[in-house]
Amino acid sequence: MTKMKWIMLVSGLLTCSMIMAAIDPQSALQSTFGETMSGPLVEVVVRNWGALITLIGILLLYGAWNVAQRPLILLIAGSSKLVFIGLVLAQGSRYLSQQAGIAIAIDSVMVILFGIYLLGVRQNKIVN
């Protein structure tokens, strides 16, 4: 997949947008899930969540230029996105009308593209 660099750049930038959760946890919760929570623990957990997602985005940006690292980065990023998708879908349709629904759609496309790339890399290694 020759367009993988650009796919990873766009995916990385979109994923890095979750830095918002590390900066303003309450706004991130409201915009993503349509709900807020309170208490100091929420501040810690949501800020950490935002920071970890942003780190995944940074990895995707790094992997756009470092082909040798792409398979591991795509495996980690794709796995993280699958966990998020699964956790949100486990709530039924509760959050699908919020930005979380949009995130699930975009993350699903990313996971599919990452999977196609990884299968291509794997098949190419088997052939060689």
Side-chain angles (χ1 to χ4, degrees):
M1 182 179 279
T2 59
K3 307 276 187 223
M4 199 61 203
K5 176 180 181 178
W6 296 106
I7 290 169
M8 290 183 78
L9 287 173
V10 171
S11 298
L13 290 172
L14 288 171
T15 303
C16 282
S17 71
M18 283 308 294
I19 189 74
M20 175 181 75
I23 296 167
D24 188 357
Q26 292 304 324
S27 292
L29 286 173
Q30 182 64 45
S31 67
T32 305
F33 299 103
E35 297 181 14
T36 60
M37 299 171 66
S38 62
L41 181 58
V42 172
E43 294 287 319
V44 171
V45 171
V46 175
R47 286 179 193 274
N48 185 60
W49 168 63
L52 290 172
I53 294 170
T54 302
L55 289 171
I56 295 291
I58 292 168
L59 280 174
L60 286 165
L61 294 173
Y62 175 79
W65 280 280
N66 295 280
V67 178
Q69 304 303 317
R70 282 184 188 170
L72 178 60
I73 290 169
L74 291 173
L75 186 63
I76 291 168
S79 298
S80 173
K81 291 177 182 303
L82 281 173
V83 168
F84 172 72
I85 291 166
L87 289 171
V88 174
L89 291 178
Q91 298 296 313
S93 62
R94 180 176 182 167
Y95 300 116
L96 296 182
S97 63
Q98 304 298 324
Q99 279 187 354
I102 295 168
I104 285 175
I106 293 169
D107 281 356
S108 295
V109 170
M110 288 182 202
V111 167
I112 290 167
L113 293 172
F114 297 172
I116 290 169
Y117 179 85
L118 290 170
L119 285 173
V121 167
R122 185 170 186 252
Q123 288 176 350
N124 193 23
K125 284 185 179 180
I126 292 171
V127 172
N128 293 333

